[in-house]
Amino acid sequence: MGTHVLRPRHRRRRLHRPPHRHRTRRRRAPRRQLQPGFPGIPRPDVTVVQGELFDIPRLLTVLADHDIDAIVHTAAMSHPTYSLSFPVATFAANSEGTVAVFEAARLHGVSRLVNFSSETVYGRNDSGVIDESQPVNPSTPYAVTKVSGEWLGRVYAQRYGIDVVSLRIAQVYGPGNRMDEIVRDVMRGVVHENAFAIPHGADHSYNLIYVRDVASAALAAVTADARSERPLAYNISSSEYWSLAGILDEVRLAYPGAAVSAGPGLEPTLDLQGQFSIELARTDLGYEPQWPLRAALADYGTWLGDHDS
């Protein structure tokens, strides 16, 4: 359902792996055997700790064992469309789980908590450029939980003094993503079958972000200077805005022999949104995307050549 990244007080490291993998860093305590299907250890200097979001005593033990002063909270039921089929499970993980993480942070004395929100809080909004002053208009249970998480962060900042930085992450693609997502679907088809076709959606536009830029944004949010006041959340995206037709044009350039196509119209399961402004994240956090689509497709294609997902 997602993961946390925890930062020990004595060390800061760049986040190289996809942020939705469960990772904690520690110097002591033996590794525990993981349940089948749980993500393995991505690097020798990273320790994986398995547990439940709702288990505050377990969270407090991990925080204390590793002297944690910052948390990147990414754990969630992470697909807006799936949440329409599983609203109760979505609220349990995303709302109850989030308040448990926030409360463990408060009890332990964590100074910085980076909370992953989502582009979905805006709902349908094709009015041009979307900055953080735009109203939220959630259209799925998942999006509602993300709005509530932002406001919970505001309360924990104002009432308990935790510096909460909420990030409205655009549509993520890249290595490690196992969920349905258009760039993943296109690239898997091209790399493994040299073809991709969909009967609709060529006119749908996306705020995309490569997973490596998500890691950079999380790091920027962890290390940014403290502020007495913050906005409710920051938009986090690339600096580009792509229609599916444009994405497929880039894929054709990278894979000239691939047969890719999309029929006209929008993607009916997703809200159409205008282009994200990321100026506030640039100013307050020092975030700057490094992976434009063309470079990201090349990197992603190389990774997919060695992996199925």
Side-chain angles (χ1 to χ4, degrees):
M1 287 196 303
T3 61
H4 313 292
V5 180
L6 310 181
R7 185 190 70 182
R9 298 178 197 275
H10 66 281
R11 186 189 311 173
R12 295 182 181 180
R13 287 187 180 272
R14 186 171 183 84
L15 309 179
H16 291 287
R17 299 290 292 182
H20 58 273
R21 291 186 182 270
H22 191 136
R23 299 169 289 158
T24 63
R25 295 177 172 83
R26 65 179 180 178
R27 293 190 302 172
R28 52 190 181 275
R31 289 174 177 167
R32 299 171 182 238
Q33 186 172 0
L34 302 176
Q35 295 294 324
F38 195 80
I41 298 168
R43 289 198 327 232
D45 61 336
V46 173
T47 300
V48 177
V49 179
Q50 187 170 14
E52 288 289 343
L53 281 175
F54 318 101
D55 189 348
I56 293 178
R58 174 81 164 131
L59 291 172
L60 287 171
T61 297
V62 173
L63 295 174
D65 280 351
H66 312 299
D67 196 22
I68 298 300
D69 72 340
I71 296 173
V72 180
H73 173 45
T74 73
M77 292 278 287
S78 297
H79 201 292
T81 304
Y82 295 167
S83 76
L84 294 169
S85 299
F86 304 103
V88 174
T90 299
F91 266 81
N94 297 9
S95 295
E96 295 176 33
T98 293
V99 74
V101 172
F102 278 36
E103 185 62 4
R106 180 184 75 84
L107 293 172
H108 177 70
V110 165
S111 59
R112 175 72 56 86
L113 196 157
V114 179
N115 173 51
F116 271 32
S117 184
S118 166
E119 63 174 352
T120 61
V121 300
Y122 292 113
R124 184 181 178 89
N125 185 333
D126 55 357
S127 59
V129 176
I130 298 177
D131 63 22
E132 293 83 352
S133 68
Q134 294 284 323
V136 296
N137 182 32
S139 63
T140 63
Y142 171 81
V144 172
T145 67
K146 291 302 182 180
V147 173
S148 68
E150 292 179 1
W151 281 100
L152 188 66
R154 171 68 60 84
V155 169
Y156 268 76
Q158 293 179 342
R159 297 293 186 176
Y160 305 123
I162 301 175
D163 190 1
V164 178
V165 184
S166 290
L167 306 179
R168 290 173 178 165
I169 309 292
Q171 183 161 310
V172 182
Y173 69 101
N177 182 19
R178 294 182 173 89
M179 297 184 299
D180 294 337
E181 186 278 320
I182 189 60
V183 179
R184 170 187 180 268
D185 296 343
V186 171
M187 289 298 292
R188 286 187 71 201
V190 167
V191 171
H192 298 306
E193 301 177 12
N194 205 37
F196 171 84
I198 190 172
H200 57 266
D203 303 310
H204 200 103
S205 293
Y206 295 86
N207 291 291
L208 298 174
I209 184 168
Y210 196 47
V211 69
R212 302 190 194 282
D213 274 337
V214 178
S216 296
L219 180 64
V222 167
T223 58
D225 291 339
R227 300 176 65 89
S228 58
E229 293 186 4
R230 290 195 184 276
L232 192 63
Y234 295 93
N235 289 345
I236 299 294
S237 181
S238 74
S239 57
E240 301 175 329
Y241 185 61
W242 289 94
S243 67
L244 177 55
I247 294 169
L248 295 185
D249 285 342
E250 290 295 307
V251 170
R252 292 185 187 99
L253 288 174
Y255 298 87
V260 295
S261 64
L266 302 178
E267 169 51 58
T269 65
L270 299 176
D271 291 318
L272 182 65
Q273 297 178 339
Q275 183 173 7
F276 271 20
S277 167
I278 56 173
E279 290 308 310
L280 199 56
R282 283 188 169 115
T283 301
D284 288 5
L285 306 179
Y287 165 69
E288 188 64 44
Q290 301 296 316
W291 286 89
L293 181 65
R294 185 170 297 182
L297 291 179
D299 184 69
Y300 193 15
T302 299
W303 186 89
L304 282 170
D306 298 322
H307 301 79
D308 181 50
S309 58

Short mmCIF file of all heavy atoms in Angstrom, two decimals, residues 155-211:
data_model
loop_
_atom_site.label_atom_id
_atom_site.label_comp_id
_atom_site.label_asym_id
_atom_site.label_seq_id
_atom_site.Cartn_x
_atom_site.Cartn_y
_atom_site.Cartn_z
N VAL A 155 -3.04 21.19 10.58
CA VAL A 155 -3.36 21.15 12.01
C VAL A 155 -2.13 20.73 12.82
O VAL A 155 -1.81 21.33 13.86
CB VAL A 155 -4.53 20.19 12.28
CG1 VAL A 155 -4.69 19.93 13.77
CG2 VAL A 155 -5.82 20.77 11.71
N TYR A 156 -1.42 19.70 12.37
CA TYR A 156 -0.24 19.25 13.11
C TYR A 156 0.87 20.29 13.07
O TYR A 156 1.69 20.35 14.00
CB TYR A 156 0.24 17.90 12.58
CG TYR A 156 -0.38 16.74 13.33
CD1 TYR A 156 -1.69 16.37 13.11
CD2 TYR A 156 0.34 16.03 14.28
CE1 TYR A 156 -2.28 15.32 13.80
CE2 TYR A 156 -0.22 14.99 14.98
CZ TYR A 156 -1.54 14.63 14.75
OH TYR A 156 -2.11 13.60 15.44
N ALA A 157 0.92 21.09 12.05
CA ALA A 157 1.90 22.17 12.01
C ALA A 157 1.52 23.28 12.98
O ALA A 157 2.35 23.75 13.77
CB ALA A 157 2.01 22.72 10.59
N GLN A 158 0.26 23.69 12.95
CA GLN A 158 -0.16 24.82 13.77
C GLN A 158 -0.29 24.46 15.24
O GLN A 158 0.03 25.27 16.11
CB GLN A 158 -1.49 25.36 13.24
CG GLN A 158 -1.38 26.01 11.87
CD GLN A 158 -2.71 26.53 11.36
OE1 GLN A 158 -3.78 26.14 11.83
NE2 GLN A 158 -2.66 27.40 10.37
N ARG A 159 -0.76 23.25 15.54
CA ARG A 159 -1.03 22.87 16.93
C ARG A 159 0.15 22.20 17.61
O ARG A 159 0.30 22.31 18.83
CB ARG A 159 -2.24 21.93 16.98
CG ARG A 159 -3.54 22.56 16.50
CD ARG A 159 -4.00 23.64 17.44
NE ARG A 159 -5.32 24.15 17.07
CZ ARG A 159 -5.98 25.06 17.78
NH1 ARG A 159 -5.44 25.56 18.89
NH2 ARG A 159 -7.18 25.49 17.38
N TYR A 160 0.96 21.48 16.84
CA TYR A 160 2.02 20.67 17.45
C TYR A 160 3.42 21.05 17.00
O TYR A 160 4.39 20.47 17.49
CB TYR A 160 1.78 19.18 17.17
CG TYR A 160 0.43 18.69 17.60
CD1 TYR A 160 -0.45 18.10 16.68
CD2 TYR A 160 -0.01 18.82 18.91
CE1 TYR A 160 -1.70 17.64 17.07
CE2 TYR A 160 -1.26 18.37 19.31
CZ TYR A 160 -2.10 17.79 18.38
OH TYR A 160 -3.33 17.34 18.77
N GLY A 161 3.53 21.98 16.08
CA GLY A 161 4.84 22.49 15.72
C GLY A 161 5.66 21.63 14.78
O GLY A 161 6.87 21.87 14.62
N ILE A 162 5.05 20.62 14.15
CA ILE A 162 5.77 19.83 13.16
C ILE A 162 5.79 20.60 11.84
O ILE A 162 4.75 21.10 11.40
CB ILE A 162 5.12 18.45 12.96
CG1 ILE A 162 5.09 17.68 14.28
CG2 ILE A 162 5.87 17.65 11.90
CD1 ILE A 162 4.34 16.36 14.18
N ASP A 163 6.93 20.68 11.21
CA ASP A 163 7.02 21.35 9.91
C ASP A 163 6.56 20.36 8.84
O ASP A 163 7.33 19.53 8.36
CB ASP A 163 8.46 21.80 9.65
CG ASP A 163 8.58 22.70 8.42
OD1 ASP A 163 7.54 22.99 7.79
OD2 ASP A 163 9.71 23.10 8.10
N VAL A 164 5.28 20.43 8.48
CA VAL A 164 4.68 19.52 7.50
C VAL A 164 4.74 20.16 6.12
O VAL A 164 4.28 21.29 5.94
CB VAL A 164 3.23 19.16 7.87
CG1 VAL A 164 2.62 18.24 6.81
CG2 VAL A 164 3.17 18.50 9.25
N VAL A 165 5.30 19.42 5.17
CA VAL A 165 5.39 19.88 3.78
C VAL A 165 4.59 18.90 2.93
O VAL A 165 5.01 17.76 2.74
CB VAL A 165 6.85 19.94 3.30
CG1 VAL A 165 6.91 20.52 1.88
CG2 VAL A 165 7.71 20.75 4.26
N SER A 166 3.44 19.33 2.44
CA SER A 166 2.61 18.46 1.60
C SER A 166 2.90 18.75 0.13
O SER A 166 2.99 19.92 -0.28
CB SER A 166 1.13 18.67 1.89
OG SER A 166 0.78 18.17 3.17
N LEU A 167 3.03 17.68 -0.65
CA LEU A 167 3.38 17.79 -2.07
C LEU A 167 2.26 17.20 -2.92
O LEU A 167 1.91 16.03 -2.76
CB LEU A 167 4.68 17.03 -2.35
CG LEU A 167 5.90 17.38 -1.49
CD1 LEU A 167 7.10 16.52 -1.90
CD2 LEU A 167 6.24 18.86 -1.59
N ARG A 168 1.73 18.00 -3.82
CA ARG A 168 0.71 17.53 -4.76
C ARG A 168 1.43 16.98 -5.98
O ARG A 168 1.74 17.69 -6.93
CB ARG A 168 -0.24 18.66 -5.14
CG ARG A 168 -1.14 19.08 -3.98
CD ARG A 168 -1.98 20.31 -4.29
NE ARG A 168 -2.86 20.62 -3.16
CZ ARG A 168 -3.50 21.77 -2.99
NH1 ARG A 168 -3.38 22.74 -3.91
NH2 ARG A 168 -4.27 21.96 -1.94
N ILE A 169 1.67 15.67 -5.94
CA ILE A 169 2.48 15.01 -6.95
C ILE A 169 1.66 14.79 -8.22
O ILE A 169 0.53 14.30 -8.16
CB ILE A 169 3.01 13.66 -6.43
CG1 ILE A 169 3.69 13.83 -5.07
CG2 ILE A 169 3.94 13.02 -7.45
CD1 ILE A 169 4.96 14.60 -5.10
N ALA A 170 2.23 15.14 -9.36
CA ALA A 170 1.58 14.89 -10.65
C ALA A 170 1.59 13.40 -10.96
O ALA A 170 1.95 12.57 -10.12
CB ALA A 170 2.28 15.69 -11.74
N GLN A 171 1.18 13.03 -12.15
CA GLN A 171 1.10 11.61 -12.52
C GLN A 171 2.50 11.04 -12.68
O GLN A 171 3.28 11.47 -13.52
CB GLN A 171 0.31 11.45 -13.82
CG GLN A 171 0.12 9.99 -14.22
CD GLN A 171 -1.01 9.80 -15.20
OE1 GLN A 171 -2.13 10.29 -14.99
NE2 GLN A 171 -0.75 9.09 -16.28
N VAL A 172 2.79 10.03 -11.85
CA VAL A 172 4.15 9.48 -11.77
C VAL A 172 4.31 8.32 -12.73
O VAL A 172 3.44 7.44 -12.83
CB VAL A 172 4.43 9.00 -10.33
CG1 VAL A 172 5.86 8.46 -10.22
CG2 VAL A 172 4.21 10.13 -9.32
N TYR A 173 5.44 8.30 -13.42
CA TYR A 173 5.80 7.17 -14.27
C TYR A 173 7.27 6.87 -14.08
O TYR A 173 8.04 7.71 -13.62
CB TYR A 173 5.50 7.45 -15.75
CG TYR A 173 6.39 8.50 -16.39
CD1 TYR A 173 7.46 8.13 -17.21
CD2 TYR A 173 6.16 9.85 -16.18
CE1 TYR A 173 8.28 9.09 -17.80
CE2 TYR A 173 6.97 10.82 -16.76
CZ TYR A 173 8.02 10.43 -17.57
OH TYR A 173 8.83 11.38 -18.14
N GLY A 174 7.65 5.63 -14.40
CA GLY A 174 9.06 5.28 -14.32
C GLY A 174 9.31 3.98 -13.60
O GLY A 174 8.37 3.27 -13.21
N PRO A 175 10.59 3.64 -13.39
CA PRO A 175 10.97 2.36 -12.79
C PRO A 175 10.27 2.08 -11.48
O PRO A 175 10.15 2.95 -10.62
CB PRO A 175 12.48 2.51 -12.59
CG PRO A 175 12.91 3.45 -13.66
CD PRO A 175 11.77 4.43 -13.80
N GLY A 176 9.78 0.84 -11.35
CA GLY A 176 9.17 0.40 -10.11
C GLY A 176 7.68 0.59 -10.01
O GLY A 176 7.04 0.06 -9.10
N ASN A 177 7.07 1.34 -10.95
CA ASN A 177 5.63 1.56 -10.88
C ASN A 177 4.89 0.32 -11.36
O ASN A 177 5.05 -0.11 -12.50
CB ASN A 177 5.23 2.75 -11.75
CG ASN A 177 3.75 3.04 -11.67
OD1 ASN A 177 3.07 2.61 -10.74
ND2 ASN A 177 3.23 3.77 -12.64
N ARG A 178 4.05 -0.26 -10.49
CA ARG A 178 3.29 -1.45 -10.85
C ARG A 178 1.83 -1.16 -11.14
O ARG A 178 1.07 -2.06 -11.47
CB ARG A 178 3.39 -2.48 -9.71
CG ARG A 178 4.78 -3.04 -9.51
CD ARG A 178 4.80 -4.08 -8.39
NE ARG A 178 6.09 -4.74 -8.30
CZ ARG A 178 7.10 -4.30 -7.55
NH1 ARG A 178 6.94 -3.20 -6.84
NH2 ARG A 178 8.25 -4.95 -7.50
N MET A 179 1.40 0.10 -10.98
CA MET A 179 0.01 0.44 -11.19
C MET A 179 -0.26 0.80 -12.65
O MET A 179 0.64 1.19 -13.39
CB MET A 179 -0.38 1.62 -10.29
CG MET A 179 -0.29 1.34 -8.82
SD MET A 179 -0.87 2.75 -7.87
CE MET A 179 0.27 4.02 -8.39
N ASP A 180 -1.53 0.69 -13.04
CA ASP A 180 -1.92 1.14 -14.37
C ASP A 180 -1.63 2.62 -14.51
O ASP A 180 -2.04 3.44 -13.67
CB ASP A 180 -3.42 0.88 -14.59
CG ASP A 180 -3.75 -0.59 -14.62
OD1 ASP A 180 -2.85 -1.40 -14.90
OD2 ASP A 180 -4.92 -0.93 -14.34
N GLU A 181 -0.95 2.98 -15.56
CA GLU A 181 -0.59 4.38 -15.82
C GLU A 181 -0.19 4.46 -17.27
O GLU A 181 0.46 3.56 -17.80
CB GLU A 181 0.53 4.81 -14.87
CG GLU A 181 0.91 6.27 -14.93
CD GLU A 181 1.87 6.55 -16.09
OE1 GLU A 181 2.77 5.72 -16.33
OE2 GLU A 181 1.69 7.59 -16.76
N ILE A 182 -0.56 5.52 -17.98
CA ILE A 182 -0.50 5.52 -19.43
C ILE A 182 0.93 5.40 -19.96
O ILE A 182 1.19 4.63 -20.91
CB ILE A 182 -1.20 6.78 -20.01
CG1 ILE A 182 -1.32 6.67 -21.53
CG2 ILE A 182 -0.51 8.06 -19.57
CD1 ILE A 182 -2.12 5.48 -22.00
N VAL A 183 1.90 6.11 -19.40
CA VAL A 183 3.26 6.01 -19.92
C VAL A 183 3.83 4.62 -19.64
O VAL A 183 4.50 4.03 -20.49
CB VAL A 183 4.17 7.11 -19.31
CG1 VAL A 183 5.59 6.97 -19.85
CG2 VAL A 183 3.63 8.50 -19.62
N ARG A 184 3.54 4.08 -18.47
CA ARG A 184 3.95 2.70 -18.17
C ARG A 184 3.37 1.73 -19.19
O ARG A 184 4.07 0.86 -19.73
CB ARG A 184 3.49 2.32 -16.77
CG ARG A 184 3.66 0.83 -16.44
CD ARG A 184 3.01 0.53 -15.09
NE ARG A 184 3.14 -0.87 -14.73
CZ ARG A 184 2.25 -1.81 -15.02
NH1 ARG A 184 1.15 -1.50 -15.72
NH2 ARG A 184 2.44 -3.07 -14.63
N ASP A 185 2.07 1.87 -19.47
CA ASP A 185 1.43 0.95 -20.41
C ASP A 185 2.03 1.07 -21.80
O ASP A 185 2.27 0.06 -22.48
CB ASP A 185 -0.07 1.22 -20.45
CG ASP A 185 -0.75 0.95 -19.11
OD1 ASP A 185 -0.14 0.26 -18.26
OD2 ASP A 185 -1.87 1.44 -18.91
N VAL A 186 2.28 2.31 -22.25
CA VAL A 186 2.88 2.51 -23.56
C VAL A 186 4.26 1.89 -23.61
O VAL A 186 4.60 1.13 -24.55
CB VAL A 186 2.95 4.02 -23.89
CG1 VAL A 186 3.78 4.25 -25.17
CG2 VAL A 186 1.56 4.62 -24.06
N MET A 187 5.08 2.19 -22.63
CA MET A 187 6.47 1.74 -22.65
C MET A 187 6.58 0.23 -22.49
O MET A 187 7.43 -0.40 -23.12
CB MET A 187 7.26 2.47 -21.58
CG MET A 187 7.49 3.94 -21.88
SD MET A 187 8.45 4.19 -23.41
CE MET A 187 10.04 3.53 -22.90
N ARG A 188 5.77 -0.36 -21.67
CA ARG A 188 5.79 -1.82 -21.55
C ARG A 188 5.44 -2.47 -22.89
O ARG A 188 6.06 -3.45 -23.30
CB ARG A 188 4.83 -2.29 -20.48
CG ARG A 188 5.28 -2.05 -19.05
CD ARG A 188 4.33 -2.70 -18.07
NE ARG A 188 4.45 -4.15 -18.11
CZ ARG A 188 3.51 -4.99 -17.68
NH1 ARG A 188 2.36 -4.52 -17.20
NH2 ARG A 188 3.70 -6.28 -17.73
N GLY A 189 4.42 -1.92 -23.56
CA GLY A 189 4.05 -2.46 -24.85
C GLY A 189 5.16 -2.34 -25.88
O GLY A 189 5.46 -3.28 -26.62
N VAL A 190 5.80 -1.17 -25.90
CA VAL A 190 6.84 -0.93 -26.90
C VAL A 190 8.09 -1.76 -26.62
O VAL A 190 8.66 -2.37 -27.54
CB VAL A 190 7.18 0.57 -26.94
CG1 VAL A 190 8.45 0.83 -27.73
CG2 VAL A 190 6.03 1.36 -27.54
N VAL A 191 8.52 -1.80 -25.36
CA VAL A 191 9.76 -2.50 -25.03
C VAL A 191 9.59 -4.01 -25.16
O VAL A 191 10.48 -4.70 -25.67
CB VAL A 191 10.22 -2.12 -23.61
CG1 VAL A 191 11.37 -3.01 -23.15
CG2 VAL A 191 10.63 -0.65 -23.56
N HIS A 192 8.45 -4.54 -24.74
CA HIS A 192 8.28 -5.99 -24.71
C HIS A 192 7.59 -6.56 -25.95
O HIS A 192 7.79 -7.73 -26.28
CB HIS A 192 7.51 -6.40 -23.46
CG HIS A 192 8.22 -6.05 -22.17
ND1 HIS A 192 9.50 -6.44 -21.91
CD2 HIS A 192 7.82 -5.31 -21.11
CE1 HIS A 192 9.88 -6.00 -20.72
NE2 HIS A 192 8.87 -5.30 -20.22
N GLU A 193 6.78 -5.73 -26.65
CA GLU A 193 6.03 -6.25 -27.79
C GLU A 193 6.19 -5.39 -29.04
O GLU A 193 5.62 -5.70 -30.09
CB GLU A 193 4.55 -6.37 -27.43
CG GLU A 193 4.29 -7.29 -26.25
CD GLU A 193 2.81 -7.32 -25.86
OE1 GLU A 193 1.99 -6.82 -26.66
OE2 GLU A 193 2.50 -7.83 -24.78
N ASN A 194 6.91 -4.28 -28.93
CA ASN A 194 7.13 -3.37 -30.05
C ASN A 194 5.83 -2.78 -30.59
O ASN A 194 5.73 -2.42 -31.77
CB ASN A 194 7.90 -4.06 -31.18
CG ASN A 194 8.67 -3.07 -32.04
OD1 ASN A 194 9.20 -2.08 -31.52
ND2 ASN A 194 8.73 -3.31 -33.34
N ALA A 195 4.83 -2.65 -29.71
CA ALA A 195 3.53 -2.12 -30.16
C ALA A 195 2.72 -1.64 -28.96
O ALA A 195 2.87 -2.14 -27.84
CB ALA A 195 2.75 -3.17 -30.92
N PHE A 196 1.87 -0.66 -29.24
CA PHE A 196 0.89 -0.21 -28.25
C PHE A 196 -0.26 0.42 -29.02
O PHE A 196 -0.06 1.18 -29.96
CB PHE A 196 1.47 0.83 -27.29
CG PHE A 196 0.42 1.46 -26.41
CD1 PHE A 196 0.01 0.84 -25.25
CD2 PHE A 196 -0.16 2.67 -26.77
CE1 PHE A 196 -0.97 1.41 -24.45
CE2 PHE A 196 -1.14 3.26 -25.97
CZ PHE A 196 -1.54 2.62 -24.81
N ALA A 197 -1.50 0.11 -28.59
CA ALA A 197 -2.67 0.72 -29.22
C ALA A 197 -3.76 0.89 -28.16
O ALA A 197 -3.93 0.04 -27.28
CB ALA A 197 -3.19 -0.14 -30.37
N ILE A 198 -4.47 2.01 -28.25
CA ILE A 198 -5.60 2.28 -27.37
C ILE A 198 -6.65 2.99 -28.21
O ILE A 198 -6.31 3.82 -29.07
CB ILE A 198 -5.15 3.13 -26.16
CG1 ILE A 198 -6.26 3.23 -25.10
CG2 ILE A 198 -4.69 4.51 -26.58
CD1 ILE A 198 -5.81 3.87 -23.80
N PRO A 199 -7.95 2.70 -28.03
CA PRO A 199 -8.94 3.25 -28.94
C PRO A 199 -9.34 4.70 -28.67
O PRO A 199 -10.12 5.27 -29.44
CB PRO A 199 -10.15 2.32 -28.73
CG PRO A 199 -9.99 1.82 -27.33
CD PRO A 199 -8.51 1.69 -27.12
N HIS A 200 -8.83 5.30 -27.62
CA HIS A 200 -9.25 6.66 -27.27
C HIS A 200 -8.12 7.34 -26.51
O HIS A 200 -7.11 6.72 -26.19
CB HIS A 200 -10.50 6.63 -26.38
CG HIS A 200 -10.31 5.82 -25.13
ND1 HIS A 200 -10.65 4.50 -25.05
CD2 HIS A 200 -9.75 6.14 -23.93
CE1 HIS A 200 -10.35 4.04 -23.84
NE2 HIS A 200 -9.79 5.01 -23.16
N GLY A 201 -8.29 8.64 -26.22
CA GLY A 201 -7.39 9.33 -25.30
C GLY A 201 -6.29 10.17 -25.91
O GLY A 201 -5.53 10.81 -25.19
N ALA A 202 -6.19 10.23 -27.24
CA ALA A 202 -5.07 10.97 -27.85
C ALA A 202 -5.09 12.44 -27.47
O ALA A 202 -4.04 13.10 -27.44
CB ALA A 202 -5.12 10.82 -29.37
N ASP A 203 -6.28 13.00 -27.18
CA ASP A 203 -6.40 14.43 -26.88
C ASP A 203 -6.31 14.74 -25.40
O ASP A 203 -6.37 15.92 -25.01
CB ASP A 203 -7.74 14.95 -27.42
CG ASP A 203 -7.89 14.70 -28.91
OD1 ASP A 203 -6.96 15.06 -29.65
OD2 ASP A 203 -8.92 14.12 -29.33
N HIS A 204 -6.16 13.72 -24.56
CA HIS A 204 -6.06 13.95 -23.12
C HIS A 204 -4.65 14.42 -22.78
O HIS A 204 -3.67 13.85 -23.24
CB HIS A 204 -6.37 12.67 -22.35
CG HIS A 204 -6.75 12.92 -20.92
ND1 HIS A 204 -8.05 12.87 -20.48
CD2 HIS A 204 -6.00 13.23 -19.83
CE1 HIS A 204 -8.09 13.14 -19.19
NE2 HIS A 204 -6.85 13.36 -18.77
N SER A 205 -4.56 15.49 -21.98
CA SER A 205 -3.25 16.04 -21.60
C SER A 205 -2.93 15.71 -20.15
O SER A 205 -3.83 15.58 -19.31
CB SER A 205 -3.22 17.55 -21.81
OG SER A 205 -3.30 17.86 -23.19
N TYR A 206 -1.63 15.60 -19.87
CA TYR A 206 -1.17 15.10 -18.57
C TYR A 206 -0.08 16.00 -17.98
O TYR A 206 0.80 16.48 -18.69
CB TYR A 206 -0.56 13.69 -18.73
CG TYR A 206 -1.53 12.63 -19.17
CD1 TYR A 206 -1.79 12.43 -20.52
CD2 TYR A 206 -2.20 11.83 -18.24
CE1 TYR A 206 -2.67 11.45 -20.94
CE2 TYR A 206 -3.08 10.84 -18.66
CZ TYR A 206 -3.32 10.66 -20.00
OH TYR A 206 -4.20 9.69 -20.41
N ASN A 207 -0.16 16.19 -16.67
CA ASN A 207 0.97 16.67 -15.90
C ASN A 207 1.74 15.43 -15.44
O ASN A 207 1.29 14.70 -14.57
CB ASN A 207 0.50 17.47 -14.69
CG ASN A 207 -0.12 18.79 -15.08
OD1 ASN A 207 0.56 19.69 -15.55
ND2 ASN A 207 -1.43 18.91 -14.90
N LEU A 208 2.89 15.20 -16.04
CA LEU A 208 3.68 14.01 -15.76
C LEU A 208 4.90 14.37 -14.92
O LEU A 208 5.40 15.49 -14.95
CB LEU A 208 4.16 13.37 -17.06
CG LEU A 208 3.09 12.86 -18.02
CD1 LEU A 208 3.74 12.39 -19.32
CD2 LEU A 208 2.28 11.72 -17.40
N ILE A 209 5.39 13.37 -14.18
CA ILE A 209 6.65 13.52 -13.47
C ILE A 209 7.35 12.18 -13.42
O ILE A 209 6.74 11.15 -13.09
CB ILE A 209 6.45 14.11 -12.06
CG1 ILE A 209 7.81 14.34 -11.37
CG2 ILE A 209 5.55 13.23 -11.21
CD1 ILE A 209 7.71 15.17 -10.11
N TYR A 210 8.62 12.17 -13.80
CA TYR A 210 9.40 10.95 -13.76
C TYR A 210 9.74 10.63 -12.30
O TYR A 210 9.96 11.52 -11.49
CB TYR A 210 10.67 11.12 -14.58
CG TYR A 210 11.39 9.84 -14.92
CD1 TYR A 210 10.70 8.75 -15.42
CD2 TYR A 210 12.76 9.73 -14.76
CE1 TYR A 210 11.35 7.58 -15.76
CE2 TYR A 210 13.43 8.57 -15.11
CZ TYR A 210 12.72 7.49 -15.60
OH TYR A 210 13.37 6.33 -15.94
N VAL A 211 9.81 9.35 -11.98
CA VAL A 211 9.96 8.94 -10.59
C VAL A 211 11.24 9.48 -9.98
O VAL A 211 11.30 9.77 -8.77
CB VAL A 211 9.87 7.41 -10.49
CG1 VAL A 211 11.06 6.74 -11.13
CG2 VAL A 211 9.68 6.96 -9.04
#
